[in-house]
Amino acid sequence: MLDEVDTRAIRRESTRSRVLQAAWELARRDGLAALTLRDVAARVGMRAPSLYSYFPSKNEMYDAMFAEAASSLAAELRGSSGNDAESRLRDRLRRFVGWCTADPTRYQLVFQRSVPGFAPSEESYQITVDALRATREAVEAAGIRGDKPFELLRGTFNGLTSLQIANDPGGNRWAVMADEALDMFLDRYAHQRRRARRGA
Amino acid sequence: MLDEVDTRAIRRESTRSRVLQAAWELARRDGLAALTLRDVAARVGMRAPSLYSYFPSKNEMYDAMFAEAASSLAAELRGSSGNDAESRLRDRLRRFVGWCTADPTRYQLVFQRSVPGFAPSEESYQITVDALRATREAVEAAGIRGDKPFELLRGTFNGLTSLQIANDPGGNRWAVMADEALDMFLDRYAHQRRRARRGA
DNA sequence: GTCTATATGTGGATAGAC
DNA sequence: GTCTATCCACATATAGAC
């Protein structure tokens, strides 16, 4: 009987997952804001009201998508590696750009406010906050401290990805500048570390 | 009789202008995408269908707003001045950031694709293309050539303004970094002029 | 859990009177 | 030019049968 409960819960999760996948597909095709419950339901062979068994509202469905996307980004960034702090930062930023440009729709949901009336729940939003804090730590591990340099780096990479997605979706005209951007940044802000090393 | 024609045309333009102003006010209050013809009309003491005397469709109204905003930006940037090319570039970039952050709604219409189903007409879009080309010329006048540096600068400033607007609208946490960002950029790319370039 | 039926609301756009 | 009346399509969400 406990087995039955488990089985039911698993099937339920599976259906919920199928619904979310259908929502992503439609959002990629027609745009995030153009999502309708009718279309999502039709895509999994249901009618719109049936979705309310899985999500209490449309915005809760957006929130589940947001959480999925944010978790995916966090996982991608956690996979960063390198022999030293600078290499790990470089890898992390490359992964960031790669993740953002791989799926503009996903990027828009997480980083832009492109769905009128939707804001992520505190819980879902926290996933992105944690990822940002980890990036801040990676920057500091590379010897760069202070809000200003960090926010400048953040702005630079935000700008590159958003130009990429707005003007050349699917391409890499701006994405390939990630390394160059980091070099420019390190040229200016990593000098303390190098000078200190040289001086010592 | 020609006078009458003129008077009528002037009144018409005046009303059209009032409609646009009402649209901006509502867009700032409720968001660009939340604009409705009913609300806009009500704000100028009309009913929705009357607006069709001034704009053939809602998207044409958006396009008129886009053209207005783009022209305003172009005029602002044309006012840039300075004693040398670098100062003029710095002033131009300051003006850019100032213009963008002064009115997030205006910025969103011109630089983000935040209205589903709306794209500017070729004619309106051209205004922004011209402004961008003039900025490119200002960068080259400062001795910096090539697509890559220019696009990197463009990305950096795009990123700063978008962070500013998304996270601190009305404030200046990121806007004040404009000078710092340009310094970082010049550190790396204006050195050709002054000394041998390091690295590749 | 899924359905049909429906409440309830929205908003762009057109027809035709004045 | 502005109005009323209306069309039409759409969408979220609920009630209640099965």
Side-chain angles (χ1 to χ4, degrees), chain B residues 75-135:
Chain B
E76 174 71 15
L77 295 181
R78 265 197 306 275
S80 310
S81 64
N83 292 327
D84 55 83
E86 189 176 305
S87 300
R88 281 190 291 276
L89 175 59
R90 188 177 297 273
D91 188 45
R92 190 177 180 90
L93 291 171
R94 276 188 194 145
R95 281 166 181 265
F96 173 76
V97 173
W99 185 92
C100 290
T101 55
D103 185 343
T105 302
R106 200 174 53 172
Y107 171 82
Q108 281 158 11
L109 181 59
V110 175
F111 287 104
Q112 303 183 337
R113 290 269 178 266
S114 77
V115 181
F118 166 71
S121 63
E122 194 52 50
E123 192 186 343
S124 301
Y125 185 65
Q126 194 59 41
I127 302 169
T128 67
V129 172
D130 292 344
L132 185 65
R133 199 188 45 227
T135 298

Side-chain angles (χ1 to χ4, degrees), chain A residues 19-20 22-23 26 35-45 51 61:
Chain A
V19 170
L20 281 180
L26 286 173
L35 260 196
T36 71
L37 294 180
R38 287 179 205 288
D39 290 348
V40 173
R43 188 161 262 253
V44 294
L51 297 183
M61 200 176 77

Side-chain angles (χ1 to χ4, degrees), chain A residues 8 12 45-47 49-50 53-54:
Chain A
R8 210 175 297 163
R12 190 183 160 76
M46 286 181 186
R47 304 288 184 161
S50 306
S53 300
Y54 300 96

Side-chain angles (χ1 to χ4, degrees), chain A residues 47-62:
Chain A
R47 304 288 184 161
S50 306
L51 297 183
Y52 285 82
S53 300
Y54 300 96
F55 304 98
S57 76
K58 189 190 183 186
N59 273 350
E60 297 270 349
M61 200 176 77
Y62 277 128

